[in-house]
Amino acid sequence: MRHSYKKYAGLACRMLFWMLFLSFVTAGCGPFQDVAPDVHSEKKMPDEGENLIVVGFSQLGSESLWRTANSESIQEALTRENGFFLEFSNARQKQENQIKAIRGFISQRVDYIMFSPVTESGWDTVLREAKDAGIPVILVDRKASLEDDSLYTAWVGSDMISEGEKAGIWLEDYLKEEGREEEEINIVVLQGTVGSSAQLERTKGFQNIAKEHANWHILKQEPADFTTAKGKEVMEMFLRNYTGIDVVISQNDDMTFGALQAMEEKGITTGVDGEIILISFDAVREALELVSQGVINVDIECNPEQGDYILEIIRKLENGEPVDKENIVEEKVFTQKNVDEYLDTRTY
Ligand code: AHR
């Protein structure tokens, strides 16, 4: 009797262990969190007779505060009340997961496919399959470089070349104001995901301005994947390998938070009264607070609130109206001079 109690207790313990382990892993906390796309629909499937527009959305991941705000904006716009059934899939920063999700949407014969391409290249085949199935594709946030532009119907996102140029123009003006325009200026850049339009275009935009200044020296540009952890790691590497850094450019706020940790640990100050000029991108609330405190000099906005633009595009398509192929969202530049008037209303 005692023996079989022990046996069942052991079995129960093992079962409990595996249940906890599996719930930990499926909650996205475990070692496999980057492996499979996380497809979920928060709402129940449309009932028969319910005339909902079914949209499959492959979001590239959840690497940044910006990305979370972008997902929320889309989920808040494409609601059941607005006539939509949204199937949301998180690709966990892997192109293969996005391709798998898009193929899944095609086989479900959704009404629209939306996706935010993790990198620019490699989409022709799967988008041809969507086109052959007669499903319109809307690109969100980032761009895809395609042989045939008819493979997508519309794109909603930011002009990221212009974002990079804004960073360069701000630096130009700031150095002039500070009387430093003739000084030799050493710059390091934390870049986003390699091959993403955010990384390629912000880099290109900044270089368009930097090439006009022979005294600006880009010491190193290094990818840090748009994450805080990588941002810290890459900034530590910059500090180990380079002296005399005047400017840190970080292609998103999450990497900026990591870079700041690395600099603080070395006692290095940044911002309006600091040793290093700090330029960031995105302008999420936490970063704008640091702009207000003078820790970040300037934050170039990348606007994640794209849901309403998408809603309008789909409504037009449903009514058989023409839509613009390129839909650029509005964006600002924040410094200590103007940030406080926007902080109160910043929701992300
Ligand atoms: O594509 C937009 C970029 O991707 C944002 O700057 C960044 O935070 C995100 O991860």
Side-chain angles (χ1 to χ4, degrees):
M1 190 65 189
R2 199 184 277 167
H3 173 78
S4 84
Y5 165 76
K6 264 188 166 173
K7 188 172 132 194
Y8 286 119
L11 186 66
C13 277
R14 281 200 300 280
M15 278 172 67
L16 187 64
F17 168 80
W18 281 110
M19 275 161 64
L20 286 171
F21 178 76
L22 285 173
S23 57
F24 177 69
V25 167
T26 50
C29 314
F32 309 131
Q33 57 183 322
D34 278 342
V35 176
D38 169 15
V39 183
H40 67 276
S41 310
E42 274 159 11
K43 301 147 244 169
K44 69 179 180 65
M45 288 300 281
D47 294 330
E48 221 171 291
E50 221 181 350
N51 207 9
L52 296 177
I53 300 164
V54 180
V55 177
F57 174 37
S58 167
Q59 177 58 287
L60 66 88
S62 45
E63 73 289 358
S64 62
L65 293 171
W66 186 98
R67 185 69 48 202
T68 306
N70 180 247
S71 297
E72 283 172 6
S73 167
I74 290 162
Q75 284 163 329
E76 280 161 19
L78 303 188
T79 59
R80 220 175 183 99
E81 296 71 46
N82 283 339
F84 290 89
F85 180 80
L86 179 66
E87 179 127 9
F88 183 94
S89 171
N90 180 342
R92 305 190 187 284
Q93 295 260 57
K94 292 207 183 309
Q95 184 175 44
E96 72 213 60
N97 286 343
Q98 292 204 279
I99 292 176
K100 209 182 284 176
I102 294 170
R103 292 213 163 106
F105 298 147
I106 296 171
S107 63
Q108 285 175 55
R109 309 210 58 81
V110 298
D111 298 308
Y112 295 89
I113 290 172
M114 296 188 347
F115 77 110
S116 179
V118 63
T119 50
E120 277 197 354
S121 57
W123 304 103
D124 295 272
T125 308
V126 73
L127 293 193
R128 170 87 41 214
E129 291 165 24
K131 188 175 180 187
D132 291 345
I135 303 175
V137 170
I138 299 172
L139 301 181
V140 179
D141 163 33
R142 296 186 188 166
K143 289 181 177 157
S145 94
L146 299 166
E147 285 161 15
D148 172 2
D149 270 359
S150 77
L151 294 181
Y152 71 97
T153 303
W155 163 78
V156 176
S158 309
D159 181 344
M160 299 203 196
I161 294 185
S162 153
E163 289 176 356
E165 286 171 346
K166 286 178 193 168
I169 292 165
W170 177 85
L171 184 60
E172 215 170 46
D173 293 344
Y174 183 75
L175 291 173
K176 212 177 281 172
E177 264 173 42
E178 297 285 298
R180 298 178 64 186
E181 70 266 43
E182 304 296 333
E183 250 180 55
E184 301 303 307
I185 300 293
N186 291 327
I187 302 169
V188 290
V189 184
L190 293 115
Q191 295 183 308
T193 308
V194 180
S196 66
S197 58
Q199 177 258 323
L200 295 167
E201 295 191 347
R202 286 175 189 162
T203 302
K204 185 169 181 218
F206 183 75
Q207 267 161 355
N208 287 346
I209 309 300
K211 68 177 184 228
E212 304 297 324
H213 299 276
N215 58 325
W216 291 14
H217 310 290
I218 300 182
L219 303 178
K220 185 79 180 161
Q221 314 201 77
E222 187 72 20
D225 288 350
F226 285 126
T227 65
T228 298
K230 253 319 206 167
K232 180 166 191 269
E233 209 179 292
V234 169
M235 191 68 226
E236 284 167 348
M237 181 277 284
F238 285 157
L239 294 174
R240 268 196 312 275
N241 296 342
Y242 301 95
T243 51
I245 297 171
D246 298 293
V247 181
V248 171
I249 300 179
S250 164
Q251 291 182 343
N252 89 340
D253 286 337
D254 297 74
M255 294 188 295
T256 303
F257 302 144
L260 274 167
Q261 283 172 29
M263 288 189 276
E264 276 161 18
E265 280 173 16
K266 293 273 176 218
I268 297 168
T269 56
T270 61
V272 290
D273 296 319
E275 300 148 80
I276 289 184
I277 298 169
L278 182 55
I279 299 177
S280 192
F281 289 81
D282 280 1
V284 298
R285 195 185 160 79
E286 277 177 45
L288 291 188
E289 275 161 6
L290 295 175
V291 173
S292 176
Q293 292 160 24
V295 175
I296 296 174
N297 293 78
V298 63
D299 210 326
I300 314 296
E301 184 178 34
C302 181
N303 181 357
E305 298 196 305
Q306 299 166 356
D308 287 343
Y309 290 80
I310 293 161
L311 181 65
E312 197 189 321
I313 289 171
I314 299 184
R315 282 192 171 148
K316 281 188 177 165
L317 291 170
E318 288 291 299
N319 291 334
E321 292 169 35
V323 296
D324 290 334
K325 190 98 177 170
E326 301 226 322
N327 300 270
I328 298 176
V329 296
E330 279 178 34
E331 300 179 330
K332 299 185 183 60
V333 172
F334 296 103
T335 64
Q336 211 177 25
K337 288 183 190 149
N338 69 345
V339 71
D340 288 343
E341 60 184 286
Y342 296 99
L343 258 178
D344 280 353
T345 51
R346 203 52 153 197
T347 53
Y348 53 88

